[in-house]
Each structure stands twice: as structure tokens, then as C-alpha cells.
Amino acid sequence: MGSTSTKIKLRTSDQKVFEVEKAVAVQSQTIKYIYENGCPDSVIHVHSVSGDILSKILDYCKKHVNSAAGKEDISPEELYEWDANFVKVDQNTLFDLILAANCLKIESLLDLTCQTVANMIKGKRPEEIRTTFNIKNDYTIEAEEAVRRENKWAFDMLGGVGTMVIEELADDTMSKCVTNAKSRVCVIAANQIVMMRSISKLANKKSIDVYKQPQNPTTPRIKESVKQINVGTGFIELFFHFKCKM
Amino acid sequence: MSSSLSSSSSSSEDANGNSGRRGVGDFGAPSLTRRRANNEIWPGPFVEDLVVQVAIDASCSFGRLAVAAALANVFQVCSTWQAVSRSDPLWHRLTTVIWGRTHRMHASWREEYVYRHQTAQNFRAGRSFYHTLHFDPASVDNPDGLTCRCLTLSDTHLACGFADGTVRLFDLSTRQLVGTFHPHHRDRFGRFSRAVSGIVISDPRIIFATLDGDIHVAIIDGEPLARTAHLGNVVNDGALVDFTGCGRWWVGLYAGVPGRALHIWDGNTEELAFVNTNLTDPEAVMGWHTLTELTETIGRVRVTGQESAVACTSLRYMVVDLRNPEFPLHDREWRRRLTVTSLDTNGEAFIMVDNRGLAIVRRVDTLEEVCRFNTRNVNVMGCMNLGYALMCAAGVVRVWEIEHGQHLYSLNQNVEEVNAMVADDRHVAAAGSDTGIHLWDFGAQ
């Protein structure tokens, strides 16, 4: 009797039953454990996963199993693209996938969803992250201040000779210094690094105007911040003064 | 999250999957339906993985110093996400991934991370404390004993090897001389045959090799007379022009006898594991001269954090996997001559300067170029750590960051005629022709 097509039955929280090949189902470490330690013929009840989500997850597992086994002719780049499309879903579905992958212990899907969420977070301030994921700010004012203080060291990143840090950029922010050296400037607005610039080519000037126009805004975050500067303050005058050795 | 799935059927009688009723036997899994605020549903391990991923992304986009700010943004979102910042294992992962540290020198991994971050900031900004380390010159009878040939740093000590075979060990926290080691007396093959070629510090041992190929092992708090672990054979192997290693491996670069350029020892058993390559064959004659006179540096070898070694002469460089050295990972000749004294490695990359002063940092595994910059000097002595490269030329030490190859600053102190220079992620040391050894401490206070 060939064991190549052993099937496992899975019943979801909404009473849908799925019959899948063992090789696909045991991509889930949880299902694998239950299958190997329980009676292999009975139905495995997947309580916390709905039929729709399990169906998607099984598609994912099948794709990866087939590609690894060579059953499907798909290059690593194509599989990567397939994965990228797989997670292009609405947020509710994404959450359901995360929870299900966590519950079912599917490492590769956890990595994929983790990277997806990380990409969604990139460049966002805490308020924006909350909006994106509908997370309530459950800090009291004191607690929030305490957390900010606890993490202050992270923003002291470029202080020192040759660097200017502007914190809490707001309308009408002006800082004046005079420099005679190569320097860098880091603009931090609302705890988010929005710009880092070297002024190395202007080393010999005594006073420098910067940020009238960004040189190369690389992310939407930077553009918006510059807009603030332009609209609110016109431009920022920055003169730097350091004791800097060449 | 440890909800287990029972294999019995339960009687949750939902027609669609969207009711909030939990049946018997349901435990651990939160309701999936409505979306109120999503504070509670994030699984702890997932948030930890997310934090590590955010750190890696920030490091690739903005550099290591920007990671902490990106993490702070994540922690300020809500208290559930903040909770993972209490996990010391998470900081352990972050410290390993971002700073490449596997040993903790502080009370917790979070403190270790903050320390490494602030120390890297100091390197960036050029903030350091400068010291000179001294030893009593009257204790040295042979004038060659005042010439420092090589330096090695560990987390706690700086070891200096001299041309008469002496190794002096300084404690980095007190900056005092805490040990002086000598090799066993034996016949010399020339004025410099007992000169120290290289030192490896592998707590509690200190291992050093002399030009005649002897390898000596001493204990850091122990006797000054070192045990000879390996007796060199100049006639068979040539002169041992450079010696380096880590706890696990010792690597020696020889010149003088064809086909025996690279020797690799198992650092634990002290046994010779590999002898081969013709890297230094063109320099064979010069190799013999090193025993009797001061010559230019023939070759250099350095180990990486990935159990590989990079070795170079002025014409060619090789990358060798120490576990599998028969087939070099890379073996390249360079169009222009290389400045041998500029070669150094950090955990994952190496740097070399060519005869036009162009420095290139490459990844060890793929040789992919990380950055390049112009040192504007050909005769440079170079060293590097995880984020910065230091080049000494004409007495001035200049510092570049190696994420983009941007020149940062020059150190204030002059180092005349530097013979050896070494850097790790906290200290930089240089030895010139005077009796003081220069030490810069960039550690966070």
C-alpha cells in the first residue's frame, strides 16, 4: 500500500472539513505533533482557524511543499513573488493569517507575515502605526512620557562634534549656529528620523543655509516633513557651530 | 502561545465562521471576529520577531546607529508592544544581529546593546579618551626589545609583541602592565628570528608566534616563561611572517619555502591541520631576509568571525574557509599592487588599500563591495572594526565610516612611524618607534 497520498482531515472552527495530503498538513508543527502523537485516523480539530483562513493557509503550504519537492516548476524568484501576492490581503485577513500561523506553528508563514508587517511599519511614527493597525494607545500621559525617557538614548545618536540634531521639529523652528567644518545634520521630528544629510561639500563656508529644498527626498515621510518646513516656516535656517578638527 | 488543538470534536455550532461563541475545549485562542482595538491579539513571539525584523531593516536602510530609534518607535505604539522590550533574550538577539556580540560584558543584554550603541556613536563623533601605555625601558637589554611589531586586542587586554620575542600584556581597564612573557631560549637564525610575528588572546591563554616558526603558549595570569606548543622549522617552512587566530583556529602565513604559505592549527588540540598554498612563493627570497634585517611587510593574514581567513601579499589575496581549507573560497590577483599593511578584517568584511590609495571594503563571503574611499596615501597602516576603518599615514590617523565610505575625522594625536595598529569595537591601539603605545578608548561612559 503506497503511503504517498496519506490524507489528514482537518475540521475548522466553523465546522468545515478539509482533507489534505499529509506532506502539506505537517508543514504545521502543531498538526504534525498531534498527528504523530494521536490517533492518525481521527479528524484533527483546528479550533482557532476559520475555513476561509485555513483554505488560504493550505494553499500556501501546498505551494511550498510542491516547490520544494520539485513537483511544480517554479523558480525561487517566482515563489518569492507568489508569496508577496499571497500577503496582499486586507488587514483583517492578514491578522487572521498571523494568528493562525502562530497557532499552527508554520515557521515560513510567520516569517513572511512578520516581514510584511515590518514593511508596513517602515518609516512610520507611533501614531501612524497605531492608525494602520487600529491599535489603541493605552498609555497614560505619564506612562508615555516614561517610555519616551527610557528610549531617549536611542535618539541621542548623532550628538557631538560635527553634528546637529534638531528634535521636535515644529512650525517656526529655527536654529542658528556657525560651522567651519564638515558636518552632518540629523533632523528628528516627533521621534522619527526624517532626514540625514552630510554637508561635506560645504566644508569651507562660514555659514550655511540648508533645507530650503531637500536634495533627494527618498521616502514619503521626508517629503511630508519638508512640506511642514516649507508651509509653516518657509525654510529653516541652520548655521552650525562646532569645534571641529580637520 | 500554547493553545493546543484537541482532536475531539467540540460543539461550537456556528453556521458561519464569524460568531464569537467559544465552544467547549476552546482555550487560548482569542476571538477572531470583530476588530475592536487590536492590542491584545499580537502574539508575544511574533512581536519579538517583528522587532528583530524592524531592526534589520533599519540597519540596512540607515545604518546600525539608526536601529535604536526605529525600535523606540515600535515600543511607543502600545503597552503590548512595549512589553517585549522587557525581554532580555530579545535584546540578546538584537545585540548579536546588529553588533555581532556573543558575550555579554554588562548586567543585562539590554545594557549591552545600549553600551555598544553609545560606543559606536562615540566612534562616529570622534569622542575618545587617549592614553599612552608605558613599560620600563631599563628592563630591556636588547635595543630590538623596544620595537613593537604587533598588537592584539581582546575585551580586557592589549598584547604587544616586540622584536626580541617579548610579549607585554596590558589590562585595558587599569592600563597597567600586568604580564611579560618570553619564549624559551633557543638558537637564533638571525637577528630577528625571535621577533614576535603575531599574538592570539584566547582567555585564559595567550598564544604568540615568533618569526622562526615557534608557537608559544602562556597563561595570562601565569608564569612569564611560555610553553613551546609548536617547534618551528625554518628550513622546511620558511619564516613565519604573520600569525593570527581566534580561540578555535590559529593561522600562520609563511614565506621562504614554496607551497607552504598557509599553516592552520586547531586551537584546541594545538595540532597542525593544514599546510599548503603558494601565496607567498614570489616573496620567498624576501622571506629569508626578514630573519636578519628589517624588510617591508611581505604578507598579512587575518581571521573573520565566520571561521574564514583572508591572507594577502602585495600581488594577490586569498580567502580560505578554516574548516575546509583545501579549496580556497576566493583567490584573486590584483591589477595594482596592494598595500599589505592595510589589510584588516571585521566579523564579515575585509579592507585593502591599493597602490593608488584607493581603499575597498568587501564582504568576505561574496567579495561584494561594501564601500570604497580614497585614503590619498599609498603607505598606510590600516585597521577596522564593525563600522569604521582607521588608516594611519604620515603620522596621522584618519577615520572613515564603512557603511558609505565617508571620511569622518582625524585623531588628534600623531603616531610617528607606526609599526602596528589594531582596532576593535571599543579600543584602538598603535605602536610606533617610541616606547609608548598609543591607546584610544571610545567606550561609552
Side-chain angles (χ1 to χ4, degrees):
Chain A
M1 180 175 73
S3 61
T4 47
S5 55
T6 321
K7 302 270 192 194
I8 297 183
K9 288 207 186 97
L10 305 170
R11 192 201 302 268
T12 65
S13 62
D14 49 350
Q15 303 306 315
K16 297 202 180 112
V17 176
F18 292 82
E19 195 167 359
V20 285
E21 284 181 22
K22 176 179 164 219
V24 172
V26 296
Q27 293 282 295
S28 154
Q29 295 298 307
T30 315
I31 292 179
K32 180 169 193 264
Y33 179 81
I34 292 176
Y35 179 76
E36 286 170 355
N37 291 292
C39 179
D41 288 335
S42 70
V43 177
I44 296 181
H45 206 127
V46 187
H47 269 292
S48 31
V49 185
S50 71
D52 294 336
I53 296 298
L54 186 64
S55 166
K56 283 188 76 72
I57 288 185
L58 291 174
D59 277 346
Y60 174 88
C61 294
K62 197 164 180 195
K63 191 81 177 177
H64 279 250
V65 163
N66 286 348
S67 123
K71 277 190 207 161
E72 215 177 293
D73 183 23
I74 176 171
S75 71
E77 293 80 23
E78 285 167 345
L79 186 63
Y80 182 81
E81 264 203 58
W82 190 91
D83 281 351
N85 286 325
F86 180 78
V87 284
K88 279 194 185 132
V89 292
D90 66 86
Q91 271 208 21
N92 281 342
T93 314
L94 182 62
F95 283 134
D96 288 336
L97 285 173
I98 292 172
L99 287 172
N102 185 59
C103 187
L104 294 171
K105 290 199 188 23
I106 306 174
E107 274 303 314
S108 60
L109 185 55
L110 278 171
D111 288 345
L112 176 63
T113 48
C114 187
Q115 179 75 71
T116 308
V117 174
N119 288 342
M120 291 164 82
I121 285 181
K122 230 184 246 187
K124 288 200 166 82
R125 293 177 298 196
E127 313 83 73
E128 291 161 320
I129 299 176
R130 285 183 209 126
T131 315
T132 307
F133 296 110
N134 190 25
I135 295 176
K136 186 159 102 69
N137 180 2
D138 57 355
Y139 283 123
T140 61
I141 308 244
E142 296 84 25
E144 193 158 15
E145 188 45 44
V147 173
R148 207 193 293 268
R149 259 182 279 122
E150 196 178 300
N151 288 303
K152 192 166 186 305
W153 61 273
F155 293 99
D156 185 25
M157 68 176 254
L158 298 168
V161 171
T163 313
M164 174 80 170
V165 173
I166 303 177
E167 289 189 18
E168 297 309 329
L169 186 69
D171 285 354
D172 283 329
T173 300
M174 301 257 268
S175 304
K176 290 191 185 181
C177 298
V178 172
T179 188
N180 61 355
K182 297 177 186 178
S183 45
R184 266 172 69 97
V185 65
C186 168
V187 180
I188 299 176
N191 288 340
Q192 174 77 16
I193 301 164
V194 294
M195 255 190 282
M196 289 200 287
R197 288 283 184 270
S198 291
I199 321 177
S200 46
K201 293 196 174 133
L202 310 173
N204 291 321
K205 288 199 185 171
K206 288 289 180 182
S207 75
I208 300 169
D209 280 341
V210 279
Y211 300 142
K212 278 187 188 172
Q213 198 60 47
Q215 291 167 12
N216 274 312
T218 52
T219 72
R221 194 72 238 117
I222 293 179
K223 267 195 193 136
E224 283 173 37
S225 300
V226 170
K227 235 194 261 177
Q228 269 181 354
I229 298 171
N230 285 338
V231 168
T233 66
F235 65 92
I236 290 185
E237 247 182 359
L238 297 166
F239 301 91
F240 302 91
H241 174 62
F242 297 102
K243 279 187 297 188
C244 200
K245 290 116 193 161
M246 296 293 282
Chain B
M1 202 147 133
S2 59
S3 64
S4 61
L5 308 172
S6 95
S7 59
S8 63
S9 70
S10 105
S11 59
S12 170
E13 44 180 296
D14 309 304
N16 57 30
N18 285 334
S19 148
R21 286 270 303 277
R22 294 186 180 191
V24 174
D26 248 357
F27 46 89
S31 163
L32 294 172
T33 60
R34 50 41 306 139
R35 283 301 162 226
R36 302 181 299 275
N38 292 329
N39 289 52
E40 313 84 36
I41 69 162
W42 297 88
F46 182 82
V47 181
E48 285 197 22
D49 288 345
L50 181 63
V51 165
V52 175
Q53 191 60 52
V54 167
I56 293 172
D57 289 346
S59 176
C60 293
S61 308
F62 280 119
R64 289 183 173 86
L65 286 174
V67 169
L71 295 184
N73 279 330
V74 170
F75 296 144
Q76 284 172 38
V77 166
C78 69
S79 58
T80 313
W81 286 26
Q82 158 75 351
V84 297
S85 76
R86 307 255 172 269
S87 157
D88 216 46
L90 172 64
W91 288 103
H92 184 166
R93 277 172 80 184
L94 290 168
T95 312
T96 307
V97 164
I98 301 294
W99 302 112
R101 297 283 307 181
T102 46
H103 308 305
R104 174 164 58 87
M105 292 183 73
H106 292 81
S108 70
W109 280 104
R110 185 177 181 277
E111 281 178 43
E112 185 74 31
Y113 186 98
V114 175
Y115 182 82
R116 295 291 146 198
H117 172 96
Q118 291 175 329
T119 304
Q121 261 178 254
N122 286 346
F123 263 103
R124 177 95 220 196
R127 289 187 288 235
S128 65
F129 285 107
Y130 169 75
H131 309 276
T132 8
L133 305 177
H134 295 283
F135 58 94
D136 182 9
S139 64
V140 180
D141 9 279
N142 183 345
D144 286 340
L146 296 175
T147 309
C148 179
R149 302 250 310 191
C150 56
L151 295 168
T152 298
L153 276 169
S154 74
D155 282 340
T156 46
H157 293 90
L158 170 69
C160 318
F162 292 81
D164 64 350
T166 317
V167 169
R168 290 191 173 80
L169 193 68
F170 292 88
D171 180 311
L172 286 169
S173 47
T174 61
R175 292 178 292 279
Q176 299 301 312
L177 180 67
V178 292
T180 310
F181 304 97
H182 307 274
H184 272 277
H185 194 71
R186 86 129 136 166
D187 288 339
R188 302 207 297 175
F189 291 94
R191 177 179 163 201
F192 292 113
S193 66
R194 296 307 260 166
V196 181
S197 296
I199 308 171
V200 176
I201 301 179
S202 170
D203 220 2
R205 295 178 302 168
I206 179 165
I207 304 117
F208 60 101
T210 44
L211 204 57
D212 54 12
D214 287 355
I215 299 181
H216 318 272
V217 178
I219 302 295
I220 285 182
D221 293 323
E223 295 299 310
L225 190 59
R227 161 176 66 87
T228 308
H230 175 87
L231 209 54
N233 188 328
V234 173
V235 174
N236 275 353
D237 295 323
L240 174 52
V241 297
D242 200 5
F243 179 75
T244 184
C246 53
R248 177 84 177 81
W249 304 100
W250 305 340
V251 185
L253 186 68
Y254 288 74
V257 175
R260 295 176 77 77
L262 217 55
H263 286 50
I264 300 174
W265 289 264
D266 180 321
N268 297 320
T269 63
E270 299 181 4
E271 281 176 18
L272 187 60
F274 175 80
V275 176
N276 212 328
T277 87
N278 53 7
L279 177 65
T280 54
D281 286 5
E283 279 83 10
V285 174
M286 181 96 88
W288 292 108
H289 284 286
T290 59
L291 292 166
T292 50
E293 59 199 58
L294 288 172
T295 66
E296 59 178 47
T297 312
I298 293 178
R300 215 179 228 209
V301 64
R302 292 285 181 268
V303 293
T304 70
Q306 300 161 344
E307 299 211 87
S308 55
V310 183
C312 81
T313 62
S314 58
L315 300 171
R316 183 173 156 207
Y317 67 88
M318 287 175 79
V319 180
V320 168
D321 180 345
L322 295 170
R323 294 158 296 190
N324 191 11
E326 286 84 24
F327 306 103
L329 297 172
H330 304 285
D331 188 347
R332 298 285 170 92
E333 294 194 353
W334 205 236
R335 293 186 306 268
R336 307 192 193 124
R337 290 180 74 89
L338 300 165
T339 305
V340 176
T341 51
S342 67
L343 173 73
D344 199 8
T345 56
N346 63 22
E348 54 196 26
F350 67 99
I351 188 171
M352 270 189 315
V353 177
D354 68 16
N355 66 348
R356 298 230 198 130
L358 179 66
I360 303 184
V361 178
R362 293 184 190 280
R363 291 188 57 90
V364 172
D365 45 8
T366 58
L367 292 193
E368 176 197 337
E369 187 177 308
V370 175
C371 74
R372 58 170 63 192
F373 53 88
N374 205 327
T375 63
R376 291 199 223 114
N377 259 296
V378 179
N379 223 359
V380 291
M381 172 77 65
C383 59
M384 72 192 262
N385 61 23
L386 197 59
Y388 304 91
L390 298 102
M391 294 284 156
C392 181
V396 177
V397 180
R398 299 171 70 203
V399 183
W400 282 262
E401 57 83 14
I402 54 175
E403 273 154 12
H404 305 288
Q406 188 197 352
H407 175 248
L408 297 176
Y409 53 85
S410 307
L411 295 179
N412 286 339
Q413 293 75 19
N414 265 21
V415 185
E416 295 304 333
E417 288 181 43
V418 62
N419 286 335
M421 199 160 123
V422 69
D424 68 7
D425 291 315
R426 176 176 169 184
H427 291 99
V428 177
S433 51
D434 41 21
T435 55
I437 294 162
H438 307 266
L439 180 72
W440 291 267
D441 182 357
F442 289 83
Q445 298 308 313

